[in-house]
C-alpha cells in the first residue's frame, strides 16, 4: 500500500495548483455526450465523497461490506460543478482526498483484507478498492490534463 499512497499524494500535490491555472474556456468546454474538464473534476469530488464513506464504514459495519454504487451522471448534474468556481472546486477535491490519504496511511493490514461485495455479487477487498480508487483518480486527472 505504501507505493499506492505515495503515488496518490504525488497526484494531489502535482495537481492542486495546476487545475486552477487551466483557462476557463478549456475547463468548461463540453463535447457532445462528454463532461467538461471541470465536470470531470466534480466527478472526482463525488468519487472522493463516496469512497471516504466506504473506506471508513467498512471498519465498523457488518462484514462482508456491501458496496453501494451511485449515479455518477446525476450527481455531476445535481452538484452543478460546471458553474462552480474552479478554486473552490479544486480545494474541495484536495481536502477530501487528503482525508482519504490520511485514512490509507493508518489502515491496518487486517482491514485491507476486509471483503467487499459488489452489486454484481463479485468480491474484492479493501486493498483492491483503495488501489483502484487511486488508479481511477489518475485516469481522470490525465483526462483533465489532455
Amino acid at each position: 500500500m505504501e507505493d499506492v499512497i505515495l503515488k496518490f499524494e504525488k497526484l494531489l500535490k502535482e495537481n492542486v495548483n495546476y487545475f486552477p491555472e487551466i483557462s476557463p474556456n478549456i475547463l468548461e468546454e463540453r463535447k457532445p455526450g462528454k463532461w467538461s474538464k471541470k465536470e470531470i473534476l466534480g466527478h472526482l469530488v463525488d468519487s472522493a465523497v463516496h469512497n471516504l464513506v466506504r473506506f471508513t464504514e467498512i471498519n465498523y459495519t457488518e462484514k462482508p461490506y456491501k458496496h453501494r454504487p451511485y449515479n455518477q451522471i446525476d450527481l455531476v448534474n445535481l452538484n452543478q460543478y460546471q458553474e462552480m468556481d474552479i478554486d473552490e472546486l479544486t480545494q474541495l477535491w484536495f481536502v477530501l482526498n487528503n482525508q482519504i490519504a490520511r485514512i490509507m496511511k493508518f489502515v491496518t493490514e487486517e482491514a485491507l483484507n476486509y471483503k467487499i461485495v459488489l452489486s454484481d455479487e463479485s468480491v474484492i477487498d479493501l486493498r483492491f478498492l483503495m488501489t483502484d480508487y487511486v488508479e481511477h483518480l489518475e485516469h481522470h486527472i490525465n483526462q483533465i490534463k489532455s
Side-chain angles (χ1 to χ4, degrees):
M1 272 312 288
E2 193 174 314
D3 290 345
V4 172
I5 295 166
L6 289 172
K7 178 181 183 178
F8 185 36
E9 291 179 321
K10 183 177 182 209
L11 286 167
L12 297 178
K13 287 176 190 160
E14 286 177 351
N15 292 289
V16 67
N17 294 317
Y18 173 76
F19 296 147
E21 306 246 332
I22 302 171
S23 156
N25 292 340
I26 292 172
L27 279 173
E28 295 173 6
E29 178 187 2
R30 281 190 179 127
K31 295 189 170 122
K34 301 283 184 184
W35 284 329
S36 69
K37 292 178 186 298
K38 203 183 225 187
E39 288 170 319
I40 293 169
L41 184 56
H43 164 66
L44 290 176
V45 167
D46 293 334
S47 179
V49 167
H50 282 83
N51 281 290
L52 179 59
V53 169
R54 292 170 180 152
F55 297 165
T56 54
E57 266 186 350
I58 195 169
N59 290 284
Y60 62 83
T61 59
E62 183 181 331
K63 312 291 184 290
Y65 181 78
K66 303 233 182 318
H67 181 275
R68 294 179 312 276
Y70 59 96
N71 189 316
Q72 300 171 13
I73 295 169
D74 284 346
L75 281 177
V76 167
N77 293 333
L78 286 167
N79 282 300
Q80 301 177 26
Y81 295 120
Q82 185 74 351
E83 288 75 36
M84 201 168 177
D85 175 76
I86 189 58
D87 292 321
E88 183 181 359
L89 182 56
T90 301
Q91 286 305 307
L92 181 58
W93 169 80
F94 184 71
V95 168
L96 285 166
N97 280 291
N98 261 346
Q99 181 60 24
I100 290 172
R102 190 172 293 114
I103 289 167
M104 286 179 163
K105 285 179 187 174
F106 294 103
V107 69
T108 66
E109 192 64 32
E110 177 186 4
L112 287 171
N113 293 315
Y114 287 159
K115 298 301 176 208
I116 300 167
V117 179
L118 302 178
S119 57
D120 68 359
E121 299 301 319
S122 59
V123 179
I124 60 171
D125 59 22
L126 182 58
R127 180 188 322 275
F128 178 88
L129 189 62
M130 287 181 164
T131 302
D132 187 63
Y133 176 76
V134 174
E135 290 172 5
H136 172 260
L137 181 89
E138 182 178 38
H139 166 75
H140 285 303
I141 286 173
N142 289 337
Q143 286 182 315
I144 293 169
K145 289 178 144 183
S146 68

